[in-house]
Amino acid sequence: VSTQSTGIDGGGLFKEFLHDILFQVFNKNFRNYFKTTSDNLLYPNNEKVTEEDLHFYYLFGRMLGKLIYEGFVMDIYFARHFLKLLLRKYNLLDDLADYDKDLYNNLLFLKTYTGDLAELQLTFSLTDEFEVDDGNWFDEDRNERARLTGETDRVKEKRIVELLPGGKEMVVTRENLVQYIHLMADYKLNKQIKAQMKHFMAGFQEVVPINWIRSFNITELQSLISGENVNIIDVEDLKKNTKYGGGYSENSRGVKNFWKVVSEFTTEQKKALLKFVTSCSHPPLLGFKYLRPPFCIHQVKSNGGEEGDIFSSLISSLQQEERLPTASTCYNTLKLPEYSSVEKLKEKLLYAIFSQSGFDLS
């Protein structure tokens, strides 16, 4: 459909698009492509092994790479074993505690188990579940159900996975117990999502080469993705690094009123303001000094009448009072009329930042 766009993308539209897509993939868990640990940390779903699924993981990798490359931060939190694999590091037994504490404790229990291990009937194998591509993935009704519910109705099949060649016939004994424990941890942490990680990494490295992030540890990598102290927005830091235009200066009445209002905002309201102006609800990783372009407040004036025309000036003043703040996200600029009172400014600003009206806001 040929439809006139309400705005021209100078970078801001793309930021909003990337944010919304990543939110759907990771926070809304699009088609269950990611599972969560008991701490709600994300990692790829090992059941997703069809060719189409693996193409999606490639796309998700590129998207996460773009997020890091552009310096955006979002509320996306990954499991430690996934982050280690992203850094090309190998997961060991102790890493299993963060992934599946029950399995970790059960494996450690085996080391101190005094009974006959043969009675437990353990072998060097396990049963895993995988989705099967039945050829109906392009069915429109099916896709609509998946979009609305986040669930897929693909057929799943169970397969026996051997930890060693011939593992399903190899009984766990006291002599090979330590080997069994480490092989089980290795499978769960490294091999179970090997196919998904291969494609995710291929997409990720097309945007962010691995040598750019290899020196980071997993905590630092997570900070690149989600930021630090995301629920703390330093208004004084934002104020110190703000530029002014259109007739405004830091001493203007409208500017002073603005900072008075923002200083009293809740965390949610501050995040909404940042999202409205910059397309991102979090401050830059190292503070607003590193926001590019810098945060700017630009005065917006109504078109007045002839100079000395009292009636036209009155109309212009009334029009100014009813206008809403707008933003140019491409330039991180808030276009703010000068209102007659702090109360009116707060009312109009809150309405604007929570309206989610895009370029149609007026």
Side-chain angles (χ1 to χ4, degrees):
V1 179
S2 179
T3 305
Q4 180 95 14
S5 172
T6 54
I8 298 173
D9 184 20
L13 274 176
F14 173 75
K15 284 193 290 184
E16 293 186 35
F17 171 76
L18 183 63
H19 178 280
D20 291 344
I21 290 292
L22 286 168
F23 182 82
Q24 289 297 322
V25 172
F26 297 112
N27 297 78
K28 290 295 186 180
N29 205 354
F30 170 70
R31 291 184 180 172
N32 289 327
Y33 275 101
F34 288 84
K35 290 183 176 181
T36 56
T37 65
S38 58
D39 296 324
N40 289 321
L41 302 176
L42 295 160
Y43 64 95
N45 185 347
N46 62 287
E47 297 176 3
K48 302 285 189 178
V49 294
T50 68
E51 183 178 354
E52 182 187 39
D53 291 332
L54 297 179
H55 280 307
F56 268 113
Y57 283 113
Y58 167 81
L59 174 62
F60 300 153
R62 288 193 59 135
M63 290 162 57
L64 184 66
K66 186 65 173 175
L67 177 84
I68 293 175
Y69 183 84
E70 295 292 344
F72 304 156
V73 288
M74 283 186 64
D75 291 325
I76 303 172
Y77 301 95
F78 291 109
R80 289 172 59 88
H81 75 287
F82 170 80
L83 292 172
K84 286 188 73 172
L85 293 175
L86 202 57
L87 291 170
R88 291 282 182 89
K89 296 179 180 178
Y90 207 74
N91 289 292
L92 303 173
L93 176 60
D94 288 342
D95 297 306
L96 190 61
D98 296 307
Y99 167 68
D100 189 334
K101 196 155 192 70
D102 289 339
L103 176 60
Y104 176 73
N105 289 334
N106 289 338
L107 290 175
L108 292 188
F109 168 76
L110 290 176
K111 295 176 72 173
T112 58
Y113 181 64
T114 56
D116 186 1
L117 285 175
E119 293 178 355
L120 301 179
Q121 298 181 336
L122 295 174
T123 65
F124 279 71
S125 65
L126 70 155
T127 302
D128 230 339
E129 229 177 22
F130 302 91
E131 290 186 1
V132 179
D133 189 352
D134 55 12
N136 294 324
W137 189 239
F138 295 100
D139 180 88
E140 291 184 5
D141 292 335
R142 188 180 193 180
N143 281 332
E144 182 65 11
R145 287 195 301 273
R147 186 186 69 81
L148 293 174
T149 66
E151 300 286 343
T152 64
D153 54 0
R154 280 183 179 173
V155 176
K156 294 183 180 181
E157 71 174 23
K158 293 183 178 180
R159 303 175 192 169
I160 294 177
V161 178
E162 295 184 323
L163 302 178
L164 285 174
K168 65 181 178 181
E169 306 295 338
M170 189 181 300
V171 177
V172 177
T173 64
R174 188 68 55 192
E175 289 71 26
N176 60 24
L177 176 60
V178 172
Q179 182 185 25
Y180 170 78
I181 290 173
H182 284 277
L183 285 174
M184 179 63 76
D186 179 41
Y187 176 75
K188 288 290 186 178
L189 296 171
N190 300 305
K191 295 180 179 176
Q192 193 174 41
I193 57 173
K194 184 177 181 180
Q196 294 84 355
M197 284 303 304
K198 177 182 177 182
H199 287 76
F200 192 98
M201 284 294 296
F204 182 84
Q205 289 185 95
E206 284 193 3
V207 184
V208 179
I210 187 64
N211 61 319
W212 288 10
I213 61 170
R214 194 186 294 277
S215 60
F216 292 111
N217 61 37
I218 56 176
T219 302
E220 292 166 339
L221 179 58
Q222 180 61 65
S223 295
L224 281 179
I225 297 167
S226 59
E228 295 179 315
N229 300 320
V230 294
N231 289 319
I232 299 176
I233 295 177
D234 189 341
V235 175
E236 286 303 313
D237 181 45
L238 176 60
K239 183 178 179 180
K240 184 172 67 175
N241 292 285
T242 294
K243 306 295 183 183
Y244 302 97
Y248 272 149
S249 71
E250 60 181 340
N251 296 315
S252 300
R253 180 172 64 91
V255 169
K256 290 182 177 180
N257 287 345
F258 171 81
W259 290 120
K260 175 178 173 54
V261 167
V262 173
S263 67
E264 297 171 355
F265 271 2
T266 64
T267 298
E268 180 188 7
Q269 289 168 337
K270 292 174 186 175
K271 285 185 174 183
L273 173 64
L274 281 184
K275 179 75 163 59
F276 182 72
V277 180
T278 70
S279 298
C280 181
S281 59
H282 298 322
L285 185 59
L286 299 177
F288 288 104
K289 177 181 179 180
Y290 294 92
L291 181 65
R292 293 291 182 270
F295 194 92
C296 179
I297 302 175
H298 187 90
Q299 185 176 11
V300 177
K301 301 177 182 178
S302 296
N303 295 322
E306 297 292 331
E307 187 175 350
D309 187 336
I310 298 177
F311 181 74
S312 294
S313 297
L314 177 62
I315 294 296
S316 176
S317 178
L318 291 173
Q319 289 176 341
Q320 183 88 342
E321 196 74 359
E322 292 308 312
R323 292 189 67 171
L324 289 169
T326 57
S328 175
T329 55
C330 310
Y331 303 104
N332 298 329
T333 297
L334 175 66
K335 300 175 181 178
L336 184 70
E338 185 168 7
Y339 298 104
S340 60
S341 67
V342 172
E343 293 73 22
K344 176 63 73 171
L345 188 154
K346 183 175 183 179
E347 174 196 340
K348 294 295 185 180
L349 185 58
L350 285 174
Y351 183 91
I353 65 179
F354 284 107
S355 66
Q356 298 184 347
S357 296
F359 286 99
D360 299 309
L361 185 67
S362 62

